Amino acid sequence: MNKMKILLTLGGSNSLKSINKQLAVYAASLVENTQMVVADLNDFNLPVYSVDLQEEKGIPDNAFRFDNLIKEADGIVLSLAENNGLPTVAYKNLLDWVSRINKKLWRNKPMLLMATSPGERGGENVLEIMKKLMPFHGGKVVADYTLPLFFENFSDEGIKDPQKKQELEQKLKIFKNELGK
């Protein structure tokens, strides 16, 4: 009997009303026969990374806690918020700390990489940048997806725009296939 796969689900924002967390949770909920572990950046509060701080105090426990979530996961659903075209400081800081434990922190696990925003581009800039950078951190991006105009295209029932809904379903099919390997 196959064991249930664990999906680490994360919105790359520390906003308490993160639309990226909402999108990540929604997408992960569509992957059958999995257990979703939702990580909230607010639960992994870390000081701003610096080499001096690491040498003085070591790596904080919250970085090890997040690293353990990655270790236990079979796949990752990550939706990144975009601030000025880049990932949020909260996400980048977590990445900086956890990469001190394991440079390839994502451990080559299948990843659905997404982004959304209230704007028409839907976080396209951060998605393109991070697709290029993920392999350096052990990120195996098997599918990517962006949802523009979040508040117009998303509701409690899911994605309203039929074309964007179908696109997500296609991306999830690819992700599920990789997760099953």
Side-chain angles (χ1 to χ4, degrees):
M1 182 176 194
N2 294 339
K3 83 171 186 84
M4 188 172 285
K5 302 281 186 175
I6 297 172
L7 292 184
L8 176 57
T9 306
L10 176 69
S13 167
N14 61 348
S15 168
L16 296 177
K17 297 177 182 177
S18 171
I19 60 177
N20 280 279
K21 181 179 173 183
Q22 289 176 57
L23 180 61
V25 167
Y26 170 73
S29 75
L30 299 175
V31 182
E32 303 89 10
N33 303 317
T34 60
Q35 176 187 346
M36 184 185 341
V37 174
V38 180
D40 188 312
L41 288 182
N42 294 297
D43 295 334
F44 298 92
N45 195 18
L46 293 160
V48 174
Y49 179 79
S50 80
V51 172
D52 298 333
L53 185 59
Q54 180 183 349
E55 288 175 3
E56 180 186 329
K57 296 189 176 188
I59 298 171
D61 288 343
N62 277 340
F64 286 103
R65 283 183 47 235
F66 191 80
D67 183 60
N68 283 331
L69 290 179
I70 297 170
K71 277 184 205 174
E72 294 169 6
D74 296 299
I76 297 154
V77 178
L78 170 60
S79 186
L80 295 168
E82 182 177 287
N83 290 150
N84 297 315
L86 299 168
T88 65
V89 172
Y91 170 79
K92 174 70 170 62
N93 193 51
L94 178 68
L95 181 80
D96 288 343
W97 277 111
V98 178
S99 70
R100 299 306 182 241
I101 300 166
N102 181 350
K103 185 165 176 52
K104 301 286 186 181
L105 67 126
W106 297 114
R107 292 178 170 79
N108 208 37
K109 297 186 179 193
M111 179 184 289
L112 171 59
L113 184 64
M114 302 185 298
T116 190
S117 76
E120 291 180 9
R121 293 183 41 82
E124 285 180 25
N125 289 334
V126 73
L127 191 65
E128 289 303 313
I129 290 167
M130 293 310 294
K131 279 184 353 190
K132 291 175 187 170
L133 292 178
M134 278 298 181
F136 295 105
H137 302 287
K140 181 182 175 185
V141 178
V142 298
D144 62 88
Y145 176 81
T146 181
L147 181 66
L149 303 167
F150 179 83
F151 296 106
E152 293 173 34
N153 286 323
F154 192 87
S155 72
D156 290 340
E157 289 80 42
I159 297 175
K160 295 187 223 178
D161 179 283
Q163 189 175 351
K164 292 304 286 182
K165 183 177 182 176
Q166 182 180 21
E167 181 186 342
L168 178 59
E169 289 167 357
Q170 292 168 342
K171 301 294 181 151
L172 283 168
K173 193 173 189 179
I174 295 165
F175 178 68
K176 290 176 200 177
N177 186 48
E178 287 293 321
L179 192 61
K181 291 182 178 178

